Amino acid sequence: MTTTLQTFFQDNPKTALAFSGGTDSAYLLSAGLKYGADIRAYYIKSQFQPAFELADAQRLAAELGTALTILPLDVLSVPQVRRNPADRCYYCKQAIFTTLIRQAGKDGYPLVIDGTNVSDLTEDRPGMRVLAELGVRSPLREAGLTKEEIRVLSKEQGLFTWNKPAYACLSTRIAPGEEITEKALRQVEEAEKALAACGFSDFRVRVAGNSARLQVTASQMDLVLAKRSRILELLHPYYTTVTLDLKERQGAAEK
């Protein structure tokens, strides 16, 4: 049985939100404030988030006139995360939400919520198990809202995040089983930042050792060919080999 966001926040007027600065958590923060809840946004700052994500989170919080609590987390200190096994996401989420729940409790917030929605349920996310194990609630999912509906509602609310592309953390760029290092993460961040400046959007730079594989949507295949020389120039400081994945990226359907 689904509920509405208004009912959820009436029943849970004091909540801590795992806030990423993305479309879903941005709308959830806006809705909580709209319905009069004492909702506090927490941003977990780890090596897995690029700088622009924190900037977006800070901008959104400022536009909504609410505080943002930033919690530093050395996620690479967790051996199971650094080793990068297939279920890395589970251990990462466990570290993130354990940290958030601990701080929220100290701040007087008994319930932690996140931006998981109905569309997320079709995806294979090992980290989803952590939410149930730690008692984290997902109001958007409980309200039966899909990603597309959240985008529409966000646009109506005037949130700049309404059409922000889905963004998986930097660790998803590293080949499974390959150790995740600070250097590898920073190289991916710099490479993707450079390509974004060239006009690419909703793309990925997948990494295995010193090789990078560029994955773009079908609509941007021609742009890759047009800017081939520039791409090589930008990425060769980080990778000895740069290739193009001829299977186009499916946008939000892929991490």
Side-chain angles (χ1 to χ4, degrees):
M1 182 178 179
T2 59
T3 184
T4 66
L5 289 181
Q6 183 173 7
T7 299
F8 179 89
F9 285 114
Q10 286 175 343
D11 294 341
N12 303 279
K14 194 174 180 70
T15 61
L17 170 65
F19 184 58
S20 67
T23 302
D24 304 320
S25 60
Y27 177 68
L28 189 54
L29 178 60
S30 175
L33 294 170
K34 175 183 176 181
Y35 295 126
D38 177 0
I39 181 170
R40 184 162 179 174
Y42 291 83
Y43 182 94
I44 300 292
K45 185 178 184 297
S46 78
Q47 300 95 324
F48 287 0
Q49 278 69 47
F52 80 81
E53 287 281 64
L54 176 56
D56 282 355
Q58 292 172 318
R59 175 186 169 187
L60 197 284
E63 290 184 1
L64 293 177
T66 190
L68 175 64
T69 300
I70 301 172
L71 299 178
L73 174 64
D74 179 10
V75 73
L76 291 182
S77 67
V78 181
Q80 299 95 326
V81 173
R82 190 179 185 90
R83 287 198 298 266
N84 196 21
D87 59 349
R88 176 206 68 248
C89 186
Y90 174 84
Y91 298 102
C92 181
K93 289 285 188 185
Q94 191 176 59
I96 287 173
F97 280 99
T98 298
T99 298
L100 200 161
I101 290 170
R102 183 184 303 117
Q103 185 60 51
K106 292 179 181 178
D107 295 337
Y109 291 84
L111 176 66
V112 171
I113 62 176
D114 86 322
T116 300
N117 61 70
V118 171
S119 300
D120 293 325
L121 299 182
T122 62
E123 300 179 12
D124 179 20
R125 293 186 174 182
M128 294 284 284
R129 283 189 288 131
V130 174
L131 304 181
E133 292 172 1
L134 298 181
V136 177
R137 300 275 297 274
S138 302
L140 297 175
R141 182 182 64 187
E142 294 179 27
L145 293 172
T146 65
K147 185 76 169 190
E148 202 53 45
E149 290 172 328
I150 293 166
R151 290 194 184 282
V152 172
L153 292 169
S154 295
K155 187 175 183 180
E156 292 175 355
Q157 293 265 348
L159 304 179
F160 77 87
T161 50
W162 76 270
N163 65 343
K164 183 177 178 179
Y167 189 87
C169 76
L170 292 170
S171 65
T172 61
R173 314 301 197 269
I174 313 299
E178 185 170 314
E179 183 181 17
I180 300 175
T181 65
E182 296 262 8
K183 179 181 177 181
L185 294 171
R186 295 290 72 79
Q187 286 182 335
V188 169
E189 181 176 5
E190 290 303 314
E192 292 193 347
K193 181 180 178 181
L195 292 182
C198 283
F200 290 96
S201 61
D202 201 5
F203 67 96
R204 297 288 185 264
V205 174
R206 307 288 186 185
V207 179
N210 292 320
S211 298
R213 174 170 53 90
L214 181 59
Q215 188 180 44
V216 302
T217 57
S219 64
Q220 296 200 321
M221 284 287 184
D222 289 342
L223 184 60
V224 174
L225 297 179
K227 296 194 174 186
R228 182 182 66 84
S229 295
R230 180 57 175 160
I231 291 171
L232 290 174
E233 179 184 346
L234 291 170
L235 267 58
H236 267 164
Y238 310 114
Y239 309 108
T240 56
T241 303
V242 179
T243 62
L244 171 65
D245 191 336
L246 293 179
K247 181 180 179 182
E248 70 272 12
R249 174 173 162 73
Q250 300 300 316
E254 296 184 54
K255 290 184 179 180

